[in-house]
C-alpha cells in the first residue's frame, strides 16, 4: 500500500483546525487503520495564522491546491454556499475527492456534486454534514439499506435542543435560554438559521435523499422553528409526560413522502425525549429492522473532525467508488404538496375568550383552563383539516404543537 | 455487475427464517443497492419443513452446500459452538464468505476464523453477533476508527434489561420479573447465559477486539450477572436518581485494559439509563469524537436478519476484503489481572448489626438505615481495596453494586 495520502483543507476555523489536530494527534491510529500516513499539504484561508503550528501551510490561493497534483483529497470546512460550491466543483473536476461538513452545499447542490464525483471517478462524502460526529450517513449507506425505510426523525440542531432543554430544566423563557446559548457560544449572534429551523431542514433534506432516494429542495420543506415556544408550553408538555423537541422528519407514507421540520411533543419514554443539551440524535424506523437510534455530539471541533477524517477511510482503503449516487436525484415539488395530508394530534392553547368557538370547531372539551388560557388536545387530523379549522384564529392561537 | 449472489443458510430457526423473509420481501431493495438479485440455494436443518414456503430448499447434508460452487456466501444462523465452528471453517476454507449472528463462535474462535477468511480471500462478518440489528460493528470498523477509543460500554443483553426494567417500573422481585420474561419468550427456560452475564461477556469480548485490538478470552473477563439484584436495590437507585443496568465495559485505561460485565448504578441523565425493555445500546467514548451511542432492538428475527443481510453489502459491492483483521488477535491473560486495579464508588447494603464495623472499614458514615439494613455509598476505591475491606463479610453483604 502507498505510504502517504495527501490532503488540503479549505478553511482554518474551528472545524478546519479540529481536522488538523486530529490528523496530527492520531497519526498512529490513521497509519494503523488506513495503512498509510496522512499529510496536510495546504490550508486555504483568507487570514494568516503566524502563531499556529499549521501557519506555514496556509495559502490564500485556491489554485495552489487545485494545481497541486499530489493533493488527492480536499476537505471543505469553509461553510456557506459560495465559493464552497465552486471550489468543490473545481476539485472534483480535477479528479480530487472532496469531503465536507457543509450541509448547505450538500442540501442545495448534492445531486450535482455526487454526479460530478461519479463522472470523475472520485468520491464526494459528507458524514459531518448531519449529526456532527455521529455515524449516520455511513450506516444509512451500508448497514441498513437492505431495509424498507418507513421514517427518519432526528434532533438535528444542537443550538435549539440546548434552548429547549434549558427551558425544560430551568423553566426559562425562549429569549432567556437563547441569550444563555449565545453567551456560551452554542448560538451565533444571528441565530436565525438555527432557531427558525433552516439548519434542520437542510439536514433532513440530506437524510431524505438517503432514505427515500429523492433530494427535496430545502424551501419545499414545511419548516417551523422554536421561536414561538413558550415556557408554559414546556410546562404543559411535562405535565402530560412529554418533552418538546425540534424534529426533522421524513416519512415514506406509502410512496407519498412527507418531510417537515417542526417542534413536536414526544412521550418521555421515547429515546429521542432523553436527548438533551447540544446532543443530536437520529432515529430510523425500518422494516424488518425496527427502530434504531444514533446519538452523539452534533457539533464541535473534535466531533466534526472525527466525521470528516472518518470519510477518508473508504476513500483510502476502498478506492474512489462513491456509493451515494443512487439516492441523490433531485425531487421536484413533491414535498410541500404532501404535507397537507400529514396527520397528527395537536396541543392547542388560546385565550379563554375563544373557548366556546374552539370547543365546537375542535370537537373536543378543553383539556385544562388556567390563567386566562384554554388548552386542548385534539383528535388526530390532517394539516389541511387543522388549517381550515383554525383559519379564523390566524395569529390568535397562543400555541399549536403536534404530537409525534 | 453480475446478476445473482447465491447464498446458503445454516439453520431454519427464528433467525434463519427471518433472513429468508427479508431476502424474499425486500428483493427490490437488494437489487437496488446490491446491484444484483440474491438467491437462496440451500437451507441446512435437521428438521423438515413441509409447510414452509422455503421447505423445498431444506437439506440435511452440509456437503450439499460445501460442494455447491455456486454458493458464494454461507449464513450461519445455527447458534452454539459446534458444529457451527467446524462448518464455518469448512466454508471459509472452500472460498465462501461467512456471515454469522453467533456471538459464541465469534468470541471463542473469531481470531482463527478472521485469519482463515483472510488467507482464503473471503470475508467473515458478524454485525448480528452484537446488538442485534443495531449497526455497531460496522461503525467501529469504519466511521470511528480514526479516534482513540477510551471506553466501550453497552447494554448488550435484552433479557436482563427487560428484567431490570420490570423491577424498576413495577417494583417486581428478580424472580417474578424473570418468570414474566420467560412467559413472554424473552428469556429461555434455562436463562443462565443471560442472567449470569455470559452472553454479555461474549459480546463485550468482541467489542474489545474492535476497540482495543485484543480479543480477550471470555473466561478471563470478570463477569457478574443480575441474580443478586434485589427490589430494594432498584428502589435505592431510584431514590438517588439512578438506574441499575447490566453493562459490558471495556476501558482502555492507558494501555492496561479493563474488561468486565456487572450491574452498574447509572445516573438517569446518562443516555444508557433510558434504554429500557429488550432494547440494547452501545456507547463509545473516543478522542476527539466524544460520546456516541447506538440504540435499537438487540434480538428478534427482523432485527437480526437486517444485520445479517447488511453484512452482504460490503461482500457484494466491495469484494472479499475483510477489514476486521487488525483487531482480532488473541489477548492472553491481560484481563483478569487488571480488573483488581479498576476503581469505582460502591453502593453497599448490609445487615445493621455490621454497621459499626463497616463504618470503620469503609471510612464512611451510613447513607441510610431502614428495615434492619444499613446502606453506604463509598468513596472511590479499587477492586483490590474493596475485596480486602469486605473479605471478612464474605456472603454477608446484601448488596455491592458499583457506580459507573
Amino acid at each position: 500500500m502507498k505510504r502517504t495520502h495527501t490532503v488540503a483543507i479549505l478553511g482554518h476555523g474551528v472545524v478546519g483546525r479540529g481536522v488538523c489536530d486530529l490528523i496530527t494527534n492520531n497519526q498512529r491510529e490513521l497509519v494503523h487503520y488506513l495503512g498509510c500516513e496522512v499529510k496536510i499539504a495546504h490550508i486555504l484561508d483568507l487570514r494568516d495564522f503566524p502563531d499556529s503550528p499549521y501557519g506555514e501551510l496556509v495559502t490564500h490561493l485556491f489554485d495552489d491546491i487545485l494545481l497541486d497534483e499530489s493533493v488527492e483529497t480536499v476537505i471543505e470546512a469553509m461553510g456557506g454556499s459560495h465559493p464552497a460550491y465552486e471550489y468543490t466543483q473545481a476539485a472534483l473536476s480535477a479528479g480530487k475527492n472532496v469531503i465536507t461538513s457543509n450541509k448547505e452545499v450538500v442540501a442545495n447542490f448534492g445531486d450535482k456534486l455526487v454526479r460530478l464525483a461519479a463522472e470523475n471517478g472520485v468520491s464526494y462524502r459528507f458524514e459531518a454534514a448531519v449529526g456532527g460526529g455521529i455515524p449516520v450517513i455511513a450506516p444509512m449507506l451500508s448497514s441498513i439499506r437492505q431495509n424498507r425505510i418507513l421514517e427518519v426523525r432526528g434532533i438535528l440542531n444542537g443550538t435549539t435542543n440546548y434552548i429547549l432543554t434549558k427551558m425544560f430544566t430551568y423553566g426559562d423563557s425562549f429569549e432567556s435560554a437563547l441569550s444563555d446559548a449565545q453567551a456560551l457560544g452554542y448560538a451565533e449572534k444571528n441565530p436565525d438559521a438555527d432557531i427558525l429551523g433552516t439548519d434542520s431542514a437542510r439536514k433532513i433534506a440530506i437524510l431524505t435523499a438517503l432514505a427515500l432516494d429523492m433530494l427535496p429542495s430545502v424551501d419545499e420543506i414545511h419548516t417551523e422553528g422554536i421561536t414561538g415556544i413558550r415556557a408554559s408550553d414546556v410546562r404543559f408538555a411535562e405535565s402530560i409526560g412529554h418533552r418538546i423537541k425540534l424534529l426533522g422528519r421524513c416519512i415514506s407514507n406509502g410512496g407519498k413522502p412527507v418531510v417537515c421540520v417542526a417542534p413536536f411533543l414526544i412521550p418521555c419514554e421515547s429515546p429521542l425525549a432523553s436527548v438533551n443539551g447540544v446532543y443530536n440524535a437520529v432515529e430510523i424506523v425500518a422494516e424488518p429492522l425496527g427502530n434504531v437510534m444514533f446519538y452523539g455530539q452534533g457539533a464541535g471541533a473534535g466531533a466534526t473532525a472525527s466525521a470528516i477524517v472518518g470519510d477518508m477511510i473508504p476513500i483510502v482503503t476502498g478506492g474512489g467508488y462513491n456509493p451515494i449516487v443512487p439516492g441523490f436525484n433531485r425531487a421536484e415539488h413533491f414535498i410541500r404538496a404532501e404535507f397537507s395530508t400529514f396527520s397528527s394530534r395537536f396541543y392547542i392553547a388560546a385565550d379563554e375568550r375563544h373557548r366556546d368557538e374552539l370547543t365546537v370547531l375542535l370537537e373536543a372539551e378543553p383539556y385544562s383552563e388556567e390563567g386566562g388560557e384554554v388548552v386542548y388536545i385534539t383528535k388526530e387530523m390532517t394539516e389541511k383539516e387543522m388549517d381550515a379549522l383554525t383559519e379564523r384564529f390566524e395569529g390568535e392561537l397562543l400555541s399549536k404543537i403536534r404530537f409525534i
Side-chain angles (χ1 to χ4, degrees), chain A:
Chain A
M1 205 173 282
K2 69 198 166 61
R3 308 286 305 272
T4 308
H5 187 79
T6 303
V7 304
I9 302 172
L10 311 186
H12 200 52
V14 172
V15 172
R17 248 168 292 184
V19 173
C20 291
D21 287 343
L22 197 164
I23 291 174
T24 307
N25 297 339
N26 288 15
Q27 192 66 231
R28 201 184 68 84
E29 282 73 16
L30 293 175
V31 170
H32 187 50
Y33 288 120
L34 295 178
C36 69
E37 289 188 357
V38 175
K39 183 188 156 198
I40 304 170
H42 311 279
I43 295 169
L44 180 72
D45 206 291
L46 295 172
R47 300 161 290 183
D48 280 309
F49 299 87
D51 301 332
S52 158
Y54 315 110
E56 288 186 6
L57 300 174
V58 172
T59 173
H60 307 308
L61 295 174
F62 179 62
D63 270 1
D64 284 350
I65 292 165
L66 194 65
L67 302 176
D68 182 344
E69 289 189 1
S70 78
V71 173
E72 292 166 271
T73 297
V74 172
I75 293 167
E76 188 266 293
M78 309 175 71
S81 277
H82 308 283
Y85 172 49
E86 290 74 16
Y87 287 176
T88 302
Q89 279 184 307
L92 293 171
S93 299
K96 299 179 192 304
N97 306 289
V98 175
I99 298 172
T100 187
S101 57
N102 190 326
K103 55 249 172 191
E104 201 176 321
V105 169
V106 181
N108 289 334
F109 309 108
D111 53 331
K112 295 189 181 68
L113 293 171
V114 162
R115 242 189 325 272
L116 187 59
E119 285 162 18
N120 287 279
V122 290
S123 281
Y124 179 56
R125 300 187 69 92
F126 42 81
E127 179 66 78
V130 181
I134 314 169
V136 174
I137 308 275
M140 288 189 72
L141 285 172
S142 58
S143 304
I144 64 168
R145 60 200 248 180
Q146 66 286 5
N147 288 274
R148 243 170 293 151
I149 296 181
L150 306 178
E151 175 166 357
V152 179
R153 54 189 173 211
I155 293 170
L156 302 172
N157 180 274
T159 306
T160 44
N161 203 48
Y162 175 84
I163 291 171
L164 291 171
T165 303
K166 196 92 201 310
M167 291 174 73
F168 175 78
T169 312
Y170 300 102
D172 286 11
S173 68
F174 169 75
E175 291 75 16
S176 145
L178 172 60
S179 301
D180 185 65
Q182 286 173 318
L184 288 166
Y186 294 153
E188 297 181 44
K189 260 196 182 158
N190 178 349
D192 282 359
D194 294 324
I195 63 177
L196 298 179
T198 319
D199 179 74
S200 295
R202 289 174 185 143
K203 290 167 178 170
I204 196 67
I206 297 170
L207 294 176
T208 302
L210 300 173
L212 305 180
D213 290 349
M214 292 181 279
L215 178 66
S217 296
V218 173
D219 55 15
E220 293 272 326
I221 296 173
H222 176 90
T223 303
E224 299 174 29
I226 63 163
T227 52
I229 308 284
R230 306 174 305 152
S232 59
D233 298 330
V234 175
R235 276 201 307 279
F236 173 77
E238 186 177 15
S239 76
I240 59 166
H242 283 59
R243 305 279 182 273
I244 298 177
K245 297 288 182 190
L246 183 68
L247 296 186
R249 296 181 72 182
C250 111
I251 305 165
S252 76
N253 195 26
K256 297 190 169 188
V258 168
V259 184
C260 64
V261 173
F264 281 89
L265 286 151
I266 307 177
C268 63
E269 312 83 66
S270 159
L272 284 173
S274 48
V275 175
N276 287 320
V278 294
Y279 279 85
N280 284 17
V282 176
E283 185 177 10
I284 298 168
V285 188
E287 177 61 33
L289 170 59
N291 293 46
V292 290
M293 189 180 84
F294 305 91
Y295 165 97
Q297 288 172 32
T304 309
S306 168
I308 288 174
V309 178
D311 268 345
M312 287 174 47
I313 297 178
I315 289 175
V316 173
T317 63
Y321 172 61
N322 190 331
I324 293 168
V325 178
F328 264 80
N329 300 304
R330 178 67 59 177
E332 297 298 347
H333 310 299
F334 82 100
I335 298 298
R336 199 180 278 282
E338 298 299 345
F339 187 66
S340 62
T341 68
F342 183 62
S343 183
S344 31
R345 289 183 307 132
F346 289 81
Y347 147 72
I348 300 281
D351 188 287
E352 63 184 358
R353 73 196 148 90
H354 299 302
R355 181 163 59 92
D356 293 347
E357 202 174 357
L358 277 169
T359 302
V360 172
L361 286 173
L362 296 171
E363 294 174 42
E365 289 301 311
Y367 185 86
S368 66
E369 289 179 81
E370 215 183 289
E373 275 188 34
V374 58
V375 165
Y376 296 85
I377 296 178
T378 74
K379 59 179 180 169
E380 188 154 324
M381 58 177 75
T382 64
E383 292 295 322
K384 203 172 165 178
E385 286 166 335
M386 174 51 80
D387 286 348
L389 279 169
T390 58
E391 205 174 358
R392 73 178 76 181
F393 294 98
E394 193 59 45
E396 294 279 339
L397 292 183
L398 298 168
S399 303
K400 186 184 92 176
I401 307 178
R402 296 165 191 86
F403 284 80
I404 201 173

